[in-house]
Amino acid sequence: AKCWSADITPQRCCGSEAGFEREGCGSLHLTYDLCCQAIHIPAERCLEAFQAQDVSAMLWHCRARRHEEVDRCFSSQGLLEQANTQGMGKVLGAHQTYKSYREAQEVKTGKELEALFLPEVVANVVVRFVAQHLAPRPGQRALRGLCHGAKIGGEAAGKSNGDVVFHDYHLPREEWLGEFDYIYSNTLDHSLYPLAALTAWRHSLRAHESLMVLHHSNLHQSLHIDAVDVYGGSLGDYCHLVHTAGFEVIEVVRLPSAEHGVDDLIFAVRGDL
C-alpha cells in the first residue's frame, strides 16, 4: 500500500479531506489522515533533491519534520516512560512454537531470494550518512558493517561466497561482540522478539558513536503484519523500541517512495553499554 505515485500526488490530493475523496486518492487503508498529515508530505526541496538524485541535498532537506511520531524519536527514554500513552508496536501471536516461526520465514525468503527491498537511492543516502558520521581518522582501521536480514537459509549463504551468515539475528554471536562500526536493517518486521533483536545488535557495535540504521516504511506498520512479517509499528513505535534497547536516535530522514509510500531511515548511536 502506498500513498503516492506519478499521478496521485500530495499536491493533487491534500487540499482538503473532501478533495482527497473526490480525486480518488484513498482506499480502505490509505486515508486522508494517514497520507496528508505534514509528516507524510515530503517538502518541496526534498522532492527536488530526490528527483535529481542529489544525496547530499536529500540528507539536508528530507530530514523528518516535527510531528508527534517524530517527537517520540527524539524524546528521552524517561519521558517516553512518563507519557506511557503509546506502545512499541505489535507482534502477531500466530506462532505457538519457534519452529513454526522459522519455517514461515524460510518458505517466504526461499521464494524471494533474488528480491530487493532496498532502493538504490536509499542505499546511497545510508552510505553517505555512515561515511560522514564515521569518517575514519588517519591510521584507523577500515570500517566494518553488518546487514541483518539479508536473507535466510542455506541457499542465501551458499550464493554469497561467505558474505551471508546463516544465523538467528535475535541471538548474540560471540565473535561479533563489539566488532562492528555500523549496522543496517530493513527486516525488524520479521522479528518475533524485536527488543531482543535490537539488544543483540547493539552489543555487536564497537563504540559509543557506532551507528545503527533502521529502515522503516508504510509496509512496516502493524496494519501489514502476517505470519512472516510478524512485527509492525509506526515510526514512533520503532523509535520507542530503539530507545528501550539503549540506543540514542540522532537523526530521522524521510524519503519519498513510489514503492513503499515513504522510506524512513532512523539513525541511532549505540551509546554506553
Side-chain angles (χ1 to χ4, degrees), residues 79-145:
L79 289 176
L80 288 170
E81 290 172 353
Q82 289 175 26
N84 198 30
T85 56
Q86 295 160 307
M88 292 182 281
K90 178 181 178 182
V91 175
L92 181 68
H95 298 286
Q96 300 301 316
T97 66
Y98 175 77
K99 180 181 178 182
S100 169
Y101 160 74
R102 176 171 163 172
E103 287 175 349
Q105 298 296 320
E106 290 179 340
V107 168
K108 180 174 181 179
T109 53
K111 296 176 181 177
E112 299 180 354
L113 197 58
E114 305 299 332
L116 296 175
F117 180 86
L118 177 63
E120 183 178 359
V121 64
V122 179
N124 290 337
V125 170
V126 171
V127 169
R128 181 68 60 85
F129 191 101
V130 170
Q132 292 177 349
H133 179 80
L134 296 172
R137 298 180 178 88
Q140 185 177 336
R141 70 173 194 178
L143 297 177
R144 296 190 68 196

Side-chain angles (χ1 to χ4, degrees), residues 30 35 46 56 113 115 117 130 132 150 167 184-185 193 205 237 257:
L30 299 176
C35 295
C46 172
S56 294
L113 197 58
F117 180 86
V130 170
Q132 292 177 349
H167 178 66
Y184 166 83
S185 183
Y193 308 107
L205 290 171
D237 291 336
S257 170

Side-chain angles (χ1 to χ4, degrees), residues 30 110 113 122-123 135-136 149 157 169 187 210 215 225 244 248 257 265:
L30 299 176
L113 197 58
V122 179
Y169 70 19
T187 62
S210 295
H215 186 167
I225 61 176
T244 301
E248 176 190 349
S257 170
L265 297 171

Side-chain angles (χ1 to χ4, degrees), residues 1-272:
K2 58 187 180 182
C3 287
W4 312 125
S5 65
D7 297 321
I8 306 298
T9 64
Q11 292 76 16
R12 171 183 166 185
C13 297
C14 292
S16 67
E17 188 167 3
F20 185 87
E21 298 297 332
R22 184 175 60 252
E23 294 291 329
C25 302
S27 68
L28 177 63
H29 300 308
L30 299 176
T31 65
Y32 177 80
D33 286 340
L34 174 65
C35 295
C36 291
Q37 294 179 65
I39 188 174
H40 291 282
I41 304 174
E44 183 176 348
R45 296 291 294 274
C46 172
L47 288 170
E48 291 173 357
F50 186 82
Q51 291 164 0
Q53 302 289 284
D54 186 335
V55 174
S56 294
M58 280 187 274
L59 279 174
W60 181 256
H61 294 295
C62 297
R63 292 173 297 169
R65 299 178 179 186
R66 293 298 302 272
H67 179 279
E68 60 185 19
E69 288 290 309
V70 178
D71 289 347
R72 294 173 67 192
C73 294
F74 296 106
S75 184
S76 68
Q77 179 62 23
L79 289 176
L80 288 170
E81 290 172 353
Q82 289 175 26
N84 198 30
T85 56
Q86 295 160 307
M88 292 182 281
K90 178 181 178 182
V91 175
L92 181 68
H95 298 286
Q96 300 301 316
T97 66
Y98 175 77
K99 180 181 178 182
S100 169
Y101 160 74
R102 176 171 163 172
E103 287 175 349
Q105 298 296 320
E106 290 179 340
V107 168
K108 180 174 181 179
T109 53
K111 296 176 181 177
E112 299 180 354
L113 197 58
E114 305 299 332
L116 296 175
F117 180 86
L118 177 63
E120 183 178 359
V121 64
V122 179
N124 290 337
V125 170
V126 171
V127 169
R128 181 68 60 85
F129 191 101
V130 170
Q132 292 177 349
H133 179 80
L134 296 172
R137 298 180 178 88
Q140 185 177 336
R141 70 173 194 178
L143 297 177
R144 296 190 68 196
L146 182 62
C147 175
H148 277 302
K151 288 296 176 187
I152 194 170
E155 298 92 343
K159 289 188 175 185
S160 73
N161 296 318
D163 292 327
V164 175
V165 176
F166 185 33
H167 178 66
D168 182 344
Y169 70 19
H170 296 88
L171 304 175
R173 193 177 177 96
E174 186 174 357
E175 63 268 33
W176 288 356
L177 295 178
E179 286 296 316
F180 293 93
D181 300 289
Y182 62 94
I183 289 170
Y184 166 83
S185 183
N186 60 46
T187 62
L188 192 64
D189 57 327
H190 289 252
S191 176
L192 193 60
Y193 308 107
L195 183 58
L198 289 180
T199 301
W201 301 359
R202 184 167 175 255
H203 282 270
S204 67
L205 290 171
R206 184 172 64 87
H208 184 284
E209 290 300 306
S210 295
L211 195 66
M212 178 183 70
V213 185
L214 200 56
H215 186 167
H216 176 274
S217 75
N218 286 349
L219 298 179
H220 292 80
Q221 300 274 359
S222 58
L223 179 69
H224 297 287
I225 61 176
D226 56 28
V228 177
D229 302 329
V230 292
Y231 168 69
S234 67
L235 172 64
D237 291 336
Y238 263 56
C239 286
H240 194 159
L241 191 67
V242 167
H243 281 292
T244 301
F247 290 94
E248 176 190 349
V249 177
I250 60 172
E251 186 62 276
V252 177
V253 173
R254 165 157 288 201
L255 300 170
S257 170
E259 295 82 11
H260 311 143
V262 291
D263 285 301
D264 290 322
L265 297 171
I266 303 168
F267 295 94
V269 295
R270 188 202 76 180
D272 294 325

